[in-house]
Amino acid sequence: MISQVFILSSKGDYLIYKDFRGEAGKDSISVFYEMVTALSGDQPPVVMVTFRTHKDLHFIHVKQGGLYWVASTKVNPSPFTIIEFLNRLAALTKDYCGSLSEKSVRMNFALIYELLDEMVDYGYIQTTSTDILKNFIQTEAVSSKPFSLFDLSNVGLFGAETQQSKVAPSAAATRPIMSGRGEQGGKNEIFVDVIERLSVVIGSNGMLMKADIEGEIRVKCYLPSCSEMRIGLNEEFSIGKSQLRGYGAAVHVDECSFHQAVKLDEFDSFRILKVCPSQGEQTVMQYQLCDNLPCAPPFRLFPTLERDYGNRLLIYLKLRCDLPPKSSALNVSITVPVPKGSLSLSQELSSPDQSAELQPKNKAILWEIPRFPGGAQLSALFKVEVPGLSSASLLEVGPVSMSFELPKYTCTGLQIRFLRLTPTQPGLSQRWVRYVTHSDSYTIRI
Amino acid sequence: MPYFGSDETVKELKRALSNPNVQSDRLRYRNYVLRVIRSMTQGLDVSSLFMDMVKASATVDIVQKKLVYLYMCNYASHKPDLALLAINTLRKDCADPNPMIRGLALRNMCNFRMPGITEYIQQPILTGLRDKASYVRRVAVLGCAKMHGLQPGTEIDASVVNELYALLRDPDPVVMVNCLRALEEILKDEGGVVINKPIAHHLLNRLKDVDSWAQCEVLTFLLRYHPRSDNELFDILSLLDDFLHSSHAHVTAATLRLFLQLAAALPAVQADAVLRVRGPLLATCGAQSRELRFAGLCHVQQILRSQPEQYGAHYKRFFCGYSEPSYIKFRKMEILVELVNDENVALVLEELRSYCTDVSPELAQAAITAIGRIGRTYSEPCLDILTGLLALKQEHITSAVVQTFRDLVWLCPQNVPAVCHALDGSEETIQDSEGKQALLWLLGVHGAEISSAPYVLEIYIDGLKAELSPTVKLELLTATVRLFLSRPAETQDMLGRLLHYCIAEESNMCVRDRALLYYRLLQCGVQETKKVLAGPKSDPSMAVLTGRLQEPIGQWASIFNTLEPLCGAESWQVTASGPESDILAQRTEGDAIPVHRTEEDVLAGTAEEGLSGVSHTDEELMLSAGPHLSHEAFERLWLELGVSHCEALGFPRPHSAPETLQAALQLVKIQTLAFSRGETLPWKAYVYTHSCGTLILAELLQKDSEDSEGSLVVSVKQQSEREQAVQGFLTVLRRALHSLSMEN
């Protein structure tokens, strides 16, 4: 039972406010904002208030697109439900407005009010399905023109490097696509994305300590009507430990789950998913693979540490990319923690498009490689000036963490064999299949 | 939010809205309405435009209609008289041929929160309940609840309730769920909607048709249904089975909660259900949404309370990701501590070790504390890591390590030598007061084993003038007096200086009073001082042994899938019982740190109270493991000596595993020689210890549990009679056994 829903900008501006039950006053917004900003560090998504005026009012919030999506409630609901609902609200907003940002929410506030009105009545969730909602939503989205100065999201205020922008996985697979209702409407497109997130820990001896893959097949559909889509996966696709299929290189996952609308009658024999996609974005299938990477981990690091002339630390890094030669990694950034008090850095890098800098605030070296072809090996030498360097300080170097993006590549080897729409859409429809692997967390110990 | 120039904005909007040119141009009209809503959201008071907005509601433009309704709902309670003007338009819309318009009008009319509206909405709601379109019925059903909410305390209309119960059979699933919700609110005073057998079965059969949100809600309503027979119960459980593996985390969680509730009497079924949601729950812990991940982790923590071994093999799932926010990292570390076992301990420690040098000091300290927690079970590898961290000579790391040492030594006294050895030189690095306090405590209590203790204390005493924190000064006083008791020659001079400074120059009253107390205590003599200050050196309740207990699932089943696991029990209680209990909660929180409590206990009361309070503890200190006694020697002595003391302890023997018993007694320096296995009666155990230069032998005997309520009888024999030693021994033994019994 939701009492209020509101959306705040990161600066605390009210973007959307809807009170469903009239239990709490409007000042709860400012109470919430004060609490969120008062707490240091990252704030867990559930905040409580016990002011006399707001006795037992609970706020639950998620942060998406730089905005706070907040629900307040007087009862003790399921946290999963509320969090999933807020995520769904954000996803629907993204579907309807094209992108998720303060600007797009500001421009489309009438539409979001309309959505909320249909989604929730008297604090009870009524429906969140795009198929049902599209019959009721009348307001047209105002599409905010994508800002074209290349990608500004990677540059912080006044060009400063922000940790967030470096770490955030690149947005290539989730790039906002023009809304089907906008002026570019009528373009019948359907995108099927296979997105994998890789989290890897490699021990100091080069052993693979942990390798998990979380993957999903996401469909973004702009077709106004589509009766059925058949997605064919690799025939050798197997689930669970025991089940093995075919003779070829099997594609194996530990667990997988499907969207409830997916029909699986042909899945067992032919590995075909049948789904009637509704407009907008939805995750058709999710899968996980733990501790059993079918391919070599994409990067290997060979570090050498040395003390030189008392106060100088030499870090020699050799990085090898074990992807097949046709693939390559993009936006590779490597963070090497260095001892506290490191003063200056001089580096020798192997090509001019790479960059490296010392970030004293994070006591780390950030080494960036815009493009890293498969099979290649790059090396870098960092000389760090550390006053009072002791042999114990070497312990502070590491673990190295990397973030990168592997386009057109899946670590599990999952492929989409075909994509068929029935009945066949008249010529205009375009079908896209995209693959991408992100680094969720890629850590190499030294 | 204050908004400058708001008057002008409102005036301008009013002018525009009443301009006939604007009214005739649909797009311009709508744009002005939009601007009104925008100002409303930003916090501007636009209630004076109500009249104009009512006019704007009479339009064919649905978008504009929706916007105006939004406005009206917001201000209806401020302007009830004007809102009545809008009712007519709304009632007309309720009869519109388009079901969407009907539903819209009905919903918004019910949302007007003002007195006296009920007489206008009652008829449309009742009509709406029988509408052809399910969309209108959904709205009408919730409308009943809204109507009831507007006039609390009035009589419940039985015909409406009956109609709602009948609508539970509505073909539209949302109407069905809305009926449950509405009935729940209307019948709140009578305990909510009644879930009897036909309704429960109907709901279970419809569960597949409704969407995930409604599934959750139905599952929650079913919590109050109790199946009549085991057959029915198992039918329900097998029906629910599929939902345990739902791809929606909220459905999985709601199903598990219902499962646990239904199978409350069948622990095996419960455990099996918990095992089967492990996959989905682990997937939630790796979900892309961080908030969902956090919720998943918090619920895994609940499950770990009962079944830590289930997740032991999946420890790698809880390794922290590089880019995760710190609140997730903290939770993951707590989970890692819980699920550590013999197989994964090495790798978990290696992982935690890599967090200790994190940029964020809070995270590094949390990692160090986590290693200390693991150290209670796996001392050696943890001490190696912690000692290695001291070499980094970084303020926050050294401070955290020393605090961890203090807690570890308090709980596991067998680590004292290793810790004392490692402390050397850490005083140079510690800057914060918590770290200093921990170091001083260690120096005071275990000063006898740290060779450099007097020199370190001297450094602190010399730098006393620059010290700002009164708590550090208090700790320094206690530590110095304690060290004086164990190493008088080296400490006497500096103790004199310290007391003189604190009494003569110190401005903080607490510090001065404490110094005076010690000064007068020392005047009473060294023995008296010893009695007050020599508290136990390790946790007398032996919490380590009782710490890792597996709770039954029922302990947390009732809070599963609620907000409580996400906030932690303490803060939840604070919230639940209002602000008055804040102080109380802080109190108990303080109690959680054992080291401080004993200090406070001793020093809280007057000196006399302190004396009586701790008089038995110094005997305990005199127990020592001494030389090992062979079975033959024990037997010979036992036969030679006569019983010097025999006493019934007043409680039965602890039913813990023999190994636990042995370890517990070992901890208090009582050696176990032999004991009967298992549940055999009479149960016997033979133990021995050294105290006051004499050897004490004892037999613990439990005869039939029937007659004497199973009290344990201790017979003590001694080599040379010393009454004091026997009393000391009995006190220690009683406390050790008692804490073990509590555990069961």
Side-chain angles (χ1 to χ4, degrees):
Chain A
M1 197 160 45
I2 298 164
S3 199
Q4 302 159 313
V5 168
F6 44 94
I7 304 174
L8 297 186
S9 77
S10 53
K11 294 196 276 315
D13 300 338
Y14 307 170
L15 302 181
I16 296 287
Y17 166 79
K18 193 155 170 73
D19 186 355
F20 291 105
R21 295 180 63 90
E23 294 170 326
K26 198 172 178 178
D27 54 337
S28 57
I29 306 180
S30 43
V31 171
F32 165 80
Y33 188 69
E34 271 169 33
M35 292 185 69
V36 153
T37 43
L39 273 130
S40 64
D42 286 298
Q43 163 77 1
V46 179
V47 191
M48 327 281 297
V49 193
T50 50
F51 286 10
R52 272 173 214 96
T53 45
H54 303 90
K55 198 156 166 32
D56 284 355
L57 186 69
H58 308 141
F59 296 113
I60 299 167
H61 83 269
V62 303
K63 220 177 164 191
Q64 283 210 17
L67 307 170
Y68 294 106
W69 306 71
V70 194
S72 73
T73 169
K74 285 237 164 186
V75 293
N76 188 2
S78 154
F80 292 107
T81 309
I82 306 282
I83 291 171
E84 290 240 55
F85 166 73
L86 292 172
N87 283 335
R88 180 73 191 140
L89 175 63
L92 278 171
T93 309
K94 191 179 165 196
D95 279 350
Y96 276 94
C97 307
S99 68
L100 207 55
S101 66
E102 183 176 338
K103 196 176 167 202
S104 68
V105 171
R106 265 187 206 281
M107 289 174 85
N108 291 296
F109 72 96
L111 191 145
I112 298 172
Y113 273 126
E114 206 180 348
L115 268 175
L116 268 175
D117 202 35
E118 299 295 340
M119 284 166 76
V120 184
D121 191 8
Y122 204 40
Y124 297 108
I125 303 171
Q126 299 290 303
T127 182
T128 59
S129 137
T130 331
D131 289 332
I132 299 174
L133 284 173
K134 73 175 175 198
N135 302 322
F136 298 106
I137 303 304
Q138 304 285 329
T139 316
E140 275 184 22
V142 189
S143 67
S144 54
K145 283 270 184 298
F147 201 65
S148 63
L149 247 175
F150 292 109
D151 196 1
L152 264 190
S153 68
N154 276 335
V155 185
L157 197 58
F158 307 123
E161 304 272 1
T162 56
Q163 184 69 11
Q164 186 56 37
S165 63
K166 297 286 173 195
V167 172
S170 108
T174 54
R175 176 161 27 91
I177 314 151
M178 275 79 73
S179 163
R181 296 162 156 269
E183 59 258 43
Q184 292 96 341
K187 205 171 187 184
N188 286 337
E189 285 182 306
I190 187 155
F191 293 81
V192 177
D193 295 340
V194 181
I195 302 161
E196 296 192 344
R197 288 177 293 131
L198 191 63
S199 54
V200 167
V201 178
I202 298 176
S204 46
N205 51 1
M207 286 276 289
L208 201 55
M209 308 271 299
K210 164 188 167 169
D212 288 355
I213 300 169
E214 311 250 352
E216 60 184 33
I217 299 180
R218 212 186 274 166
V219 174
K220 188 148 192 174
C221 176
Y222 290 114
L223 307 176
S225 69
C226 167
S227 58
E228 189 177 71
M229 179 169 67
R230 287 150 59 91
I231 306 173
L233 307 180
N234 313 44
E235 287 199 35
E236 302 86 7
F237 184 75
S238 67
I239 306 164
K241 299 271 184 236
S242 54
Q243 198 188 4
L244 274 178
R245 292 170 66 97
Y247 303 100
V251 176
H252 171 260
V253 299
D254 286 341
E255 270 172 40
C256 87
S257 62
F258 302 93
H259 190 273
Q260 57 190 13
V262 177
K263 287 192 223 77
L264 294 172
D265 46 338
E266 287 185 61
F267 183 72
D268 273 341
S269 38
F270 302 112
R271 295 305 188 209
I272 292 172
L273 306 175
K274 287 202 284 190
V275 62
C276 304
S278 40
Q279 271 189 324
E281 193 172 279
Q282 57 202 308
T283 302
V284 173
M285 170 177 152
Q286 287 175 295
Y287 55 92
Q288 292 110 39
L289 177 61
C290 298
D291 267 346
N292 180 14
L293 216 54
C295 54
F299 290 99
R300 284 270 179 198
L301 182 75
F302 304 96
T304 322
L305 294 184
E306 228 176 278
R307 277 177 74 186
D308 185 27
Y309 312 124
N311 283 340
R312 199 144 70 148
L313 178 66
L314 298 183
I315 305 174
Y316 183 67
L317 300 178
K318 211 155 65 168
L319 190 64
R320 195 178 74 206
C321 179
D322 285 339
L323 292 173
K326 275 184 196 162
S327 324
S328 62
L330 298 183
N331 302 328
V332 183
S333 74
I334 301 120
T335 311
V336 188
V338 290
K340 200 182 171 190
S342 299
L343 275 184
S344 61
L345 169 77
S346 66
Q347 73 257 29
E348 289 169 23
L349 302 173
S350 52
S351 74
D353 56 341
Q354 302 172 28
S355 67
E357 59 170 349
L358 180 70
Q359 297 180 317
K361 201 171 135 255
N362 300 322
K363 49 170 191 143
I365 300 172
L366 185 71
W367 176 22
E368 289 190 313
I369 306 160
R371 192 186 149 81
F372 201 152
Q377 180 164 307
L378 295 178
S379 55
L381 176 65
F382 300 108
K383 297 176 185 162
V384 193
E385 205 71 46
V386 192
L389 185 72
S390 68
S391 57
S393 309
L394 294 184
L395 286 174
E396 285 185 72
V397 181
V400 173
S401 43
M402 297 182 64
S403 72
F404 51 83
E405 178 189 327
L406 313 174
K408 294 179 244 162
Y409 184 78
T410 53
C411 279
T412 50
L414 184 77
Q415 301 280 326
I416 290 179
R417 273 188 297 145
F418 58 80
L419 198 64
R420 270 184 217 131
L421 298 172
T422 45
T424 326
Q425 296 276 325
L428 270 169
S429 71
Q430 282 179 306
R431 289 163 291 168
W432 305 93
V433 178
R434 303 181 294 187
Y435 301 96
V436 72
T437 299
H438 293 295
S439 62
D440 193 27
S441 168
Y442 198 93
T443 310
I444 306 167
R445 299 210 187 114
I446 292 187
Chain B
M1 199 182 288
Y3 201 90
F4 292 106
S6 56
D7 284 352
E8 277 82 68
T9 320
V10 175
K11 262 183 214 150
E12 192 203 319
L13 284 170
K14 198 174 177 74
R15 216 174 303 131
L17 285 172
S18 51
N19 183 346
N21 287 333
V22 172
Q23 287 175 358
S24 59
D25 183 343
R26 216 167 114 179
L27 273 180
R28 271 178 76 192
Y29 202 12
R30 188 203 283 183
N31 266 335
Y32 278 108
V33 173
L34 264 173
R35 280 187 56 190
V36 174
I37 306 286
R38 194 194 299 269
S39 321
M40 184 179 88
T41 308
Q42 283 165 348
L44 191 65
D45 182 14
V46 286
S47 57
S48 55
L49 298 173
F50 206 96
M51 238 3 257
D52 305 283
M53 292 299 272
V54 170
K55 273 187 209 141
S57 73
T59 168
V60 284
D61 183 3
I62 291 196
V63 178
Q64 183 169 333
K65 234 184 192 33
K66 286 187 175 180
L67 291 170
V68 174
Y69 288 162
L70 179 73
Y71 172 91
M72 286 182 185
C73 292
N74 225 343
Y75 287 114
S77 48
H78 297 286
K79 304 245 167 177
D81 43 338
L82 289 176
L84 287 180
L85 295 173
I87 293 284
N88 256 336
T89 327
L90 285 164
R91 284 186 66 144
K92 209 170 73 205
D93 281 348
C94 282
D96 198 278
N98 183 348
M100 196 159 91
I101 306 257
R102 288 204 299 273
L104 182 70
L106 185 56
R107 181 168 62 222
N108 284 290
M109 200 152 62
C110 299
N111 280 345
F112 282 16
R113 281 184 284 270
M114 56 186 217
I117 186 82
T118 37
E119 55 179 301
Y120 299 99
I121 59 176
Q122 195 162 18
Q123 196 47 48
I125 286 178
L126 291 177
T127 326
L129 285 177
R130 293 182 201 110
D131 201 287
K132 302 190 295 292
S134 60
Y135 182 69
V136 183
R137 290 201 301 275
R138 293 174 187 178
V139 172
V141 167
L142 282 184
C144 298
K146 291 177 193 168
M147 192 164 68
H148 182 78
L150 283 174
Q151 38 178 5
T154 50
E155 204 131 303
I156 297 166
D157 188 349
S159 63
V160 171
V161 171
N162 284 339
E163 194 140 358
L164 287 177
Y165 269 117
L167 274 174
L168 281 175
R169 308 265 166 194
D170 195 277
D172 185 74
V174 182
V175 173
M176 177 189 86
V177 180
N178 279 355
C179 277
L180 284 175
R181 294 158 167 165
L183 284 168
E184 176 73 11
E185 297 220 358
I186 294 172
L187 303 173
K188 204 180 203 166
D189 296 333
E190 300 169 19
V193 55
V194 179
I195 307 284
N196 57 18
K197 191 169 169 178
I199 292 181
H201 286 208
H202 172 67
L203 292 177
L204 283 164
N205 289 328
R206 293 287 300 271
L207 206 52
K208 275 198 170 32
D209 310 334
V210 303
D211 70 354
S212 66
W213 314 108
Q215 277 172 357
C216 286
E217 219 138 340
V218 171
L219 289 167
T220 314
F221 277 114
L222 284 171
L223 280 174
R224 60 178 73 149
Y225 178 65
H226 301 286
R228 305 283 160 76
S229 67
D230 274 359
N231 275 342
E232 193 192 350
L233 171 68
F234 285 112
D235 283 349
I236 293 178
L237 291 185
S238 52
L239 228 162
L240 290 176
D241 210 70
D242 288 346
F243 296 98
L244 278 181
H245 290 280
S246 164
S247 60
H248 297 283
H250 50 279
V251 178
T252 310
T255 314
L256 180 64
R257 189 175 174 197
L258 180 59
F259 235 89
L260 296 180
Q261 160 101 12
L262 287 173
L266 307 161
V269 177
Q270 282 187 324
D272 183 56
V274 172
L275 183 65
R276 285 192 306 134
V277 295
R278 186 176 65 193
L281 208 51
L282 280 173
T284 311
C285 292
Q288 197 162 24
S289 154
R290 290 162 167 186
E291 291 79 12
L292 206 58
R293 241 188 244 196
F294 178 74
L297 290 171
C298 293
H299 283 83
V300 166
Q301 268 188 314
Q302 298 301 318
I303 292 178
L304 285 175
R305 287 166 62 179
S306 308
Q307 305 189 325
E309 72 282 357
Q310 264 191 16
Y311 286 81
H314 298 268
Y315 63 99
K316 286 183 186 170
R317 288 298 199 65
F318 303 101
F319 283 5
C320 297
Y322 160 66
S323 51
E324 278 174 333
S326 44
Y327 62 83
I328 289 186
K329 290 184 175 170
F330 286 131
R331 288 283 166 166
K332 285 193 164 173
M333 281 194 250
E334 287 172 23
I335 289 176
L336 282 175
V337 169
E338 290 298 323
L339 48 71
V340 89
N341 60 29
D342 292 349
E343 277 127 54
N344 60 28
V345 61
L347 289 168
V348 168
L349 282 176
E350 198 175 319
E351 179 72 14
L352 286 173
R353 158 74 186 80
S354 69
Y355 307 152
C356 293
T357 46
D358 198 276
V359 201
S360 148
E362 291 84 21
L363 200 71
Q365 287 176 341
I368 291 167
T369 316
I371 294 178
R373 293 256 317 269
I374 296 175
R376 294 173 194 174
T377 332
Y378 302 96
S379 311
E380 223 169 285
C382 295
L383 282 173
D384 285 347
I385 292 177
L386 293 174
T387 314
L389 288 173
L390 286 177
L392 290 177
K393 298 210 176 298
Q394 292 208 7
E395 292 167 28
H396 66 277
I397 294 181
T398 310
S399 161
V401 169
V402 172
Q403 289 174 59
T404 308
F405 276 160
R406 173 196 60 193
D407 296 345
L408 196 60
V409 160
W410 172 252
L411 292 164
C412 310
Q414 67 270 26
N415 296 325
V416 170
V419 165
C420 291
H421 188 72
L423 278 180
D424 234 11
S426 49
E427 75 278 358
E428 293 160 17
T429 336
I430 298 180
Q431 298 297 327
D432 63 326
S433 58
E434 277 84 20
K436 284 180 185 171
Q437 284 175 56
L439 179 64
L440 289 170
W441 186 87
L442 283 165
L443 290 173
V445 174
H446 299 288
E449 292 166 66
I450 306 170
S451 56
S452 63
Y455 309 106
V456 178
L457 283 185
E458 190 154 27
I459 295 171
Y460 278 106
I461 291 170
D462 290 343
L464 196 60
K465 278 192 183 128
E467 180 60 57
L468 295 172
S469 154
T471 43
V472 172
K473 290 178 187 168
L474 290 174
E475 197 66 60
L476 180 60
L477 273 167
T478 315
T480 316
V481 178
R482 276 190 178 146
L483 193 66
F484 169 71
L485 296 175
S486 56
R487 298 165 76 166
E490 294 154 288
T491 325
Q492 188 174 15
D493 179 50
M494 63 175 94
L495 177 62
R497 272 190 287 142
L498 176 65
L499 286 177
H500 181 264
Y501 173 83
C502 287
I503 293 168
E505 292 180 46
E506 177 59 45
S507 56
N508 186 302
M509 275 305 137
C510 288
V511 179
R512 199 168 156 264
D513 284 353
R514 176 89 54 106
L516 277 171
L517 169 75
Y518 287 148
Y519 179 68
R520 291 181 185 141
L521 207 55
L522 286 165
Q523 279 181 332
C524 298
V526 172
Q527 279 309 319
E528 298 296 308
T529 318
K530 248 186 199 165
K531 277 183 185 164
V532 174
L533 277 180
K537 290 188 177 188
S538 62
D539 182 13
S541 66
M542 287 183 292
V544 163
L545 290 170
T546 54
R548 275 170 64 99
L549 261 191
Q550 294 180 10
E551 300 173 45
I553 289 173
Q555 291 277 40
W556 49 263
S558 60
I559 61 161
F560 197 82
N561 199 23
T562 65
L563 295 181
E564 198 172 331
L566 272 72
C567 332
E570 287 115 45
S571 55
W572 185 262
Q573 270 156 15
V574 171
T575 327
S577 52
E580 307 89 320
S581 63
D582 273 13
I583 307 149
L584 243 167
Q586 278 167 7
R587 255 277 139 103
T588 43
E589 229 166 84
D591 282 353
I593 306 160
V595 178
H596 297 287
R597 198 182 59 185
T598 47
E599 292 284 306
E600 299 300 311
D601 279 355
V602 173
L603 295 160
T606 61
E608 277 94 325
E609 272 172 3
L611 289 180
S612 59
V614 291
S615 57
H616 53 80
T617 49
D618 65 341
E619 266 116 340
E620 175 200 5
L621 299 170
M622 290 174 210
L623 290 189
S624 60
H628 185 69
L629 210 59
S630 71
H631 283 257
E632 294 75 28
F634 185 93
E635 202 178 331
R636 186 168 42 78
L637 280 169
W638 186 258
L639 295 173
E640 270 173 25
L641 300 169
V643 175
S644 65
H645 187 93
C646 190
E647 186 181 322
L649 288 178
F651 51 84
R653 76 176 180 92
H655 287 266
S656 35
E659 289 72 30
T660 324
L661 179 69
Q662 195 167 6
L665 292 176
Q666 187 94 48
L667 216 58
V668 290
K669 308 271 169 56
I670 299 175
Q671 306 277 357
T672 320
L673 194 82
F675 45 80
S676 9
R677 287 268 159 193
E679 297 293 319
T680 48
L681 282 172
W683 181 87
K684 279 185 186 178
Y686 292 96
V687 298
Y688 67 91
T689 185
H690 296 265
S691 178
C692 304
T694 173
L695 178 67
I696 302 177
L697 308 176
E699 178 199 55
L700 311 178
L701 173 70
Q702 174 144 31
K703 296 203 194 87
D704 295 342
S705 50
E706 260 50 72
D707 49 351
S708 59
E709 262 313 302
S711 179
L712 199 60
V713 180
V714 190
S715 328
V716 184
K717 302 186 180 184
Q718 267 184 300
Q719 233 171 358
S720 49
E721 300 273 323
R722 292 243 174 90
E723 181 55 26
Q724 192 196 9
V726 174
Q727 285 312 324
F729 166 73
L730 284 174
T731 321
V732 175
L733 183 69
R734 189 174 290 136
R735 204 177 321 141
L737 292 175
H738 195 70
S739 65
L740 279 171
S741 319
M742 298 302 284
E743 178 193 337
N744 287 311

